[in-house]
Amino acid sequence: HNHGYFLCRNVVNGKKENRKLALLDCGRHHFSTLVFLQRIYIYKFSIFRIYIYCHFWLLRMEKELKQDPINLVKVVLFGPESTGKTTLSKQLARHYNTVWTPEFAREYLQKKWNNERKTCEISDLVPIAIGQMRLENKLAKRADKLLICDTDLLETKVYSEEYYGGFVDEKLNKASEENQYDLYLLTYVDTPWEEDDLRDRPGRRLEMFTAFENALKKNQKNYILLKGDKETRLKVATAAIDEIIRQKEYLFSFSESLTAKEQKVAVKK
């Protein structure tokens, strides 16, 4: 090609056929160069598209792990399995006439067990976290001044650390630190163990309790310890929650906002 290109530019004398061959070689050389450059352009463009897609995918995931802004008192039930968290969540929701956020992981993992006979894997943790925050943000809009959360992302983080050798997904870790709650109710292991398809480690409950309490201390969360029977726990929890509600102003109330809308409609009619 170099020889042909040299002839293309410098041939003055010689046969006409040589000039044609030289021009042909020259054209082939330029065509190969254009094809090469085109391929580089396509490659770079593809890399750029992949980068843009990944960037927006990460931004979207980070957004899905965040709390929507709303002026509510948020309380988290926090602790090992089978320590009465769901029972107390329902009691508190009835007491305050508000809604409570169930644990998304239970529904997610029960379906996985029913369909695949598999328990939780490390790849399930971020989808569980996203599902939990979608549920929390959805139900927060239907709460009356107080939202009871059966779990939060900090609890998911603790399970990740304890079950997977200290590993925590970076996005999950960041969201667990940024999302804020007014009070954590740490449930002690003085309740009977109730076995099901998902629960395990009945002999390591105290060890798991210590991991949960250490996480609250490390992250400087506001919490109280709940022990004893259902009535005792409810009494201690409501006393702490009542004090927080008293200190808050202009709390969002779904029922009050609904009533106000209905009154506006009535006035217009």
Side-chain angles (χ1 to χ4, degrees):
H1 285 184
N2 290 336
H3 176 66
Y5 185 71
F6 176 80
L7 288 174
C8 176
R9 298 187 60 186
N10 298 285
V11 168
V12 178
N13 301 312
K15 294 182 179 181
K16 190 175 183 180
E17 287 79 5
N18 288 338
R19 287 200 300 272
K20 286 183 178 180
L21 288 173
L23 288 170
L24 182 60
D25 284 344
C26 180
R28 286 173 177 170
H29 171 77
H30 283 289
F31 179 75
S32 299
T33 303
L34 288 172
V35 170
F36 176 71
L37 292 173
Q38 185 182 33
R39 287 177 178 174
I40 291 178
Y41 173 79
I42 293 171
Y43 174 76
K44 286 185 176 181
F45 184 69
S46 299
I47 294 295
F48 178 73
R49 289 182 64 184
I50 292 170
Y51 168 78
I52 293 296
Y53 174 80
C54 292
H55 177 70
F56 281 101
W57 180 77
L58 288 172
L59 288 176
R60 181 181 177 184
M61 183 176 292
E62 288 180 2
K63 183 179 179 181
E64 288 183 312
L65 290 171
K66 289 182 178 180
Q67 292 170 318
D68 291 341
I70 189 168
N71 189 23
L72 285 171
V73 172
K74 291 189 175 183
V75 175
V76 180
L77 278 295
F78 198 76
E81 295 174 314
S82 194
T83 53
K85 298 190 297 294
T86 301
T87 298
L88 186 54
S89 293
K90 294 177 181 178
Q91 287 179 305
L92 289 169
R94 285 195 298 268
H95 179 84
Y96 288 101
N97 194 29
T98 189
V99 297
W100 66 286
T101 305
E103 186 180 7
F104 178 78
R106 291 202 63 81
E107 179 185 353
Y108 178 97
L109 294 174
Q110 188 66 56
K111 285 181 179 178
K112 181 170 183 172
W113 174 258
N114 293 342
N115 296 332
E116 305 175 37
R117 282 297 184 265
K118 290 182 179 179
T119 55
C120 186
E121 298 172 294
I122 198 167
S123 58
D124 294 316
L125 296 178
V126 171
I128 286 173
I130 290 174
Q132 188 65 46
M133 291 314 303
R134 284 177 180 170
L135 195 57
E136 179 181 318
N137 288 329
K138 176 183 177 181
L139 290 172
K141 297 177 177 64
R142 304 187 66 83
D144 281 326
K145 300 182 180 180
L146 170 69
L147 179 66
I148 306 298
C149 302
D150 197 12
T151 187
D152 76 332
L153 299 193
L154 182 58
E155 184 161 322
T156 308
K157 175 183 174 180
V158 172
Y159 277 112
S160 181
E161 290 174 331
E162 294 299 312
Y163 278 72
Y164 303 106
F167 170 81
V168 181
D169 182 272
E170 183 180 344
K171 297 177 291 298
L172 171 59
N173 184 57
K174 181 181 178 183
S176 71
E177 293 175 352
E178 292 180 350
N179 291 348
Q180 296 297 314
Y181 300 88
D182 296 276
L183 179 66
Y184 283 79
L185 303 176
L186 178 62
T187 51
Y188 193 60
V189 292
D190 55 351
T191 55
W193 174 266
E194 295 183 9
E195 189 173 354
D196 61 19
D197 292 335
L198 305 177
R199 289 172 176 165
D200 59 2
R201 299 190 178 187
R204 299 175 63 181
R205 299 174 77 196
L206 189 57
E207 178 185 336
M208 290 299 296
F209 172 83
T210 302
F212 278 106
E213 187 168 30
N214 287 341
L216 292 174
K217 292 177 178 178
K218 181 180 178 181
N219 291 276
Q220 299 180 328
K221 301 296 186 182
N222 180 34
Y223 79 97
I224 60 172
L225 176 62
L226 297 181
K227 291 184 176 182
D229 58 25
K230 296 176 183 178
E231 290 73 22
T232 301
R233 291 182 175 205
L234 180 62
K235 183 178 179 180
V236 174
T238 53
I241 294 170
D242 287 344
E243 183 61 29
I244 294 173
I245 292 176
R246 274 195 292 268
Q247 297 172 9
K248 297 278 187 174
E249 293 183 344
Y250 309 112
L251 291 170
F252 171 80
S253 173
F254 172 73
S255 59
E256 290 178 6
S257 63
L258 188 62
T259 301
K261 289 179 182 178
E262 290 173 348
Q263 288 175 348
K264 286 182 180 179
V265 171
V267 169
K268 288 180 179 180
K269 289 182 179 179

